[in-house]
Amino acid sequence: MSEYRPLTRCVHSGGYLDEKVGGVTTPVYTSSSYRFSESGGEVLYPRYYNLPTQKAVADKMAALENGRTALVVSSGMAAISTTLVALLAAGDHAVIQNDVYGGTFHFLSELSRLGIEYSLVRSQDVRDFAAAVRENTRLVYFETPTNPLLKVVDLRAMAELGRTKGLLTVIDNTFATPINQRPLDYGIDVAAHSGTKYLGGHSDLCCGVVVTRPDLGDKIAETAINHGVVLGAFECYRLERSLKTLALRVRQQNVNALALAEFLAAHPRVKRVYYPGLPDDPGHETAKRQMSGFGGMFSVEIKGDRETARSVVNRLKLFTHAVSLGGVESLVCFPALTSHAKMPAEEREKIGITDALLRFSTGIEDPDDLIADLGQALAG
């Protein structure tokens, strides 16, 4: 499907047409037991990720990310943890961006328990990642844009670091989605997603995806099989259905987020807006080079303390105060209390996650309605 554009790939890549009845959607294979073939061949079993319903959605994600293989698992953290455990062993060292998703940061203690060392880099500059490389370094892990401060890392430079140092490069591409950014095109080895967010897109599905090249895909799949982080048949069906509208949803969310970020950046009650689509954002030029859209996420520091920010949230009508992100409805949350609650307070402060920081996930509503809602909440 490489000759087609993202809108077309969302609809037509992957998928499995049932020749028996002629349906145009992938059938849901619910059986956990399949007849054994005496003549040999592949043994079908849900935990082996080899059923048509599982393969259909994996093939669609591989096409969207321009990857060679994809694996669909039970959650975003399953995608991240399985990848890191598969690619690292006791005695290895990893270089990891410090301002990653809070759940990922919390998982790092598990790496230590397995005898895997890691260094945290408090920067988006690839030169600082390079300075942290040791003789036993095997992997670099990062996000771009980051959660929740939307910092941007140069994908091409990071891929070059991996090539020159002989390191694997792994990115959490959740915020960007393959509609806005395809890291493998720049030479990144692995792209992981919390599919619970934009890929599912309707706040009713928990899943994760890993996209990579074939040799790494087999290694990650083997670990996933051993850990049993399989996604059920109905969830695979719902994820594939959601992916068909991914490009449409993300494009509207891009439009909405930019409009809201511009409005808030000019508002007297706002201290700062974090969004790479704004021309004065530190990551704007890099984001322009490697992203086709700036995404539906932005964060805002309200002038005042947590109670000031909370009063704004309480007056919002169209933004639901809720965890997670990437759905068709607009959400707002305090990262210090949700996504990064498991990160020690001193670490949050070091990377700029204050108690008054609000993270917004824009939905697909009319942007003028969302702007009006923010305006009345700030004016209260």
Side-chain angles (χ1 to χ4, degrees):
M1 300 293 292
S2 59
E3 69 273 25
Y4 296 112
R5 292 173 175 82
L7 277 167
T8 306
R9 292 190 204 185
C10 283
V11 177
H12 291 285
S13 60
Y16 174 80
L17 300 182
D18 191 336
E19 301 295 338
K20 185 174 182 179
V21 298
V24 298
T25 60
T26 302
V28 181
Y29 292 88
T30 61
S31 180
S32 61
S33 183
Y34 292 84
R35 286 178 296 180
F36 183 78
S37 173
E38 295 289 350
S39 60
E42 190 174 30
V43 176
L44 295 179
Y45 190 58
R47 188 165 60 85
Y48 297 164
Y49 301 96
N50 59 3
L51 303 185
T53 312
Q54 297 169 321
K55 288 183 174 181
V57 68
D59 289 347
K60 189 180 291 290
M61 274 303 301
L64 289 173
E65 280 279 20
N66 284 338
R68 294 294 301 277
T69 62
L71 185 70
V72 181
V73 293
S74 56
S75 69
M77 276 311 304
I80 293 165
S81 60
T82 300
T83 297
L84 294 178
V85 170
L87 301 181
L88 293 167
D92 287 346
H93 173 259
V95 176
I96 298 175
Q97 190 178 35
N98 75 317
D99 51 345
V100 291
Y101 165 59
T104 305
F105 190 91
H106 185 66
F107 173 73
L108 298 182
S109 61
E110 185 73 8
L111 293 183
S112 298
R113 191 181 69 82
L114 296 174
I116 299 167
E117 300 176 304
Y118 62 89
S119 297
L120 296 175
V121 176
R122 306 182 190 281
S123 166
Q124 280 61 245
D125 192 324
V126 175
R127 291 172 294 186
D128 292 326
F129 283 83
V133 173
R134 303 176 184 173
E135 187 176 341
N136 61 332
T137 303
R138 300 289 178 265
L139 180 148
V140 178
Y141 179 90
F142 65 106
E143 298 174 8
T144 185
T146 63
N147 179 9
L149 297 177
L150 288 301
K151 297 175 183 177
V152 179
V153 177
D154 189 320
L155 291 173
R156 198 178 300 279
M158 190 64 84
E160 180 62 21
L161 170 65
R163 282 192 297 270
T164 56
K165 300 287 187 178
L167 309 174
L168 295 173
T169 48
V170 180
I171 181 177
D172 180 342
N173 200 35
T174 298
F175 268 29
T177 81
I179 304 305
N180 288 330
Q181 177 174 275
R182 287 172 289 281
L184 274 64
D185 287 354
Y186 293 87
I188 300 300
D189 294 307
V190 182
H193 292 265
S194 174
T196 310
K197 279 60 173 187
Y198 286 100
L199 305 185
H202 296 79
S203 303
D204 60 1
L205 180 61
C206 184
C207 59
V209 180
V210 182
V211 185
T212 184
R213 63 178 195 243
D215 56 331
L216 294 178
D218 292 343
K219 194 170 186 178
I220 295 168
E222 184 66 24
T223 300
I225 290 169
N226 289 337
H227 288 189
V229 290
V230 67
L231 191 67
F234 281 109
E235 286 76 16
C236 286
Y237 162 75
R238 290 163 61 200
L239 178 56
E240 193 206 348
R241 180 181 63 177
S242 293
L243 286 173
K244 292 180 180 180
T245 62
L246 177 64
L248 293 173
R249 290 185 279 108
V250 168
R251 288 183 179 185
Q252 185 60 45
Q253 287 160 323
N254 289 341
V255 169
N256 288 358
L258 180 58
L260 295 175
E262 290 174 339
F263 168 75
L264 290 169
H267 199 285
R269 291 200 63 188
V270 172
K271 182 177 180 181
R272 180 174 177 181
V273 178
Y274 298 87
Y275 186 63
L278 296 175
D280 60 350
D281 186 271
H284 179 68
E285 292 303 320
T286 302
K288 272 204 314 185
R289 290 196 302 270
Q290 63 194 31
M291 301 180 74
S292 55
F294 297 111
M297 301 296 302
F298 63 89
S299 290
V300 177
E301 251 192 285
I302 304 295
K303 290 180 179 177
D305 56 15
R306 178 185 289 181
E307 292 310 310
T308 308
R310 190 183 299 278
S311 68
V312 173
V313 170
N314 289 341
R315 287 191 292 270
L316 289 168
K317 299 175 181 177
L318 295 179
F319 293 83
T320 302
H321 186 190
V323 298
S324 202
L325 58 101
V328 294
E329 62 287 302
S330 291
L331 305 177
V332 60
C333 74
F334 289 85
L337 300 178
T338 56
S339 63
H340 288 69
K342 292 183 178 180
M343 181 180 284
E346 60 272 18
E347 288 294 332
R348 289 199 303 266
E349 290 293 331
K350 286 177 183 177
I351 63 178
I353 301 176
T354 68
D355 288 345
L357 183 75
L358 297 176
R359 189 191 72 185
F360 287 85
S361 171
T362 55
I364 62 171
E365 303 95 337
D366 188 290
D368 289 338
D369 290 334
L370 295 175
I371 288 173
D373 190 29
L374 283 169
Q376 65 82 23
L378 287 165

